[in-house]
Amino acid sequence: WRSMLGGDSAAAADLVHAVRAACPGQRLKLIIESGELPLPETIRQASRIGLDAGVNFLKTSTGKTAHGASLEAARLMLECIAMQPRAVGFKASGGIRTVADAAAYIELVRTVLGNGALSSQRLRFGASSLLGDIERVLSGISGPGAAPTSAY
């Protein structure tokens, strides 16, 4: 992503193609770090680089940078995936902390890719920050941030 940010898309493409060549037949996920790329066209270009290299998943973020996933960046990435003749997965990560946040991404995937993309083979979440809210919702505790009770 730093190469993309610096305008060196060729270096980014070379790296992604080299990784794909090094692991033929393996599932490959490309992390775009979309929150660190300020221009929509750069996010599209990074997505196309990965898709052209044959990645199996595009992921919004590591969750380790200052800016994680956004619905706008996800839409751009999903639109690139939608143009592929093959099924490519999408993983939203970085800043998705509530079930309501996840629901917005689920609806976006449904809108852009259709109901068929709503499976673990095509849609995933970086769940480290989301898990607590999922447990809270499933346990019936009200309010985000409430400590979930565990039946484990």
Side-chain angles (χ1 to χ4, degrees), residues 22-108:
C23 57
Q26 301 299 311
R27 184 170 292 162
L28 181 60
K29 171 180 60 184
L30 176 64
I31 303 169
I32 301 291
E33 288 298 6
S34 59
E36 299 300 317
L37 301 175
L39 300 176
E41 185 50 38
T42 309
I43 295 169
R44 283 189 199 97
Q45 187 177 28
S47 298
R48 286 191 301 265
I49 285 170
L51 296 168
D52 290 348
V55 301
N56 305 97
F57 266 84
L58 290 180
K59 182 178 174 182
T60 57
S61 172
T62 58
K64 308 288 186 215
T65 59
H67 306 96
S70 73
L71 287 169
E72 177 60 19
R75 182 184 60 76
L76 297 168
M77 294 167 69
L78 289 164
E79 288 171 351
C80 290
I81 290 171
M83 297 178 70
Q84 293 298 298
R86 62 189 173 87
V88 175
F90 173 76
K91 184 172 181 178
S93 182
I96 301 163
R97 292 183 171 83
T98 67
V99 170
D101 293 339
Y105 285 91
I106 291 168
E107 185 55 35
L108 182 61

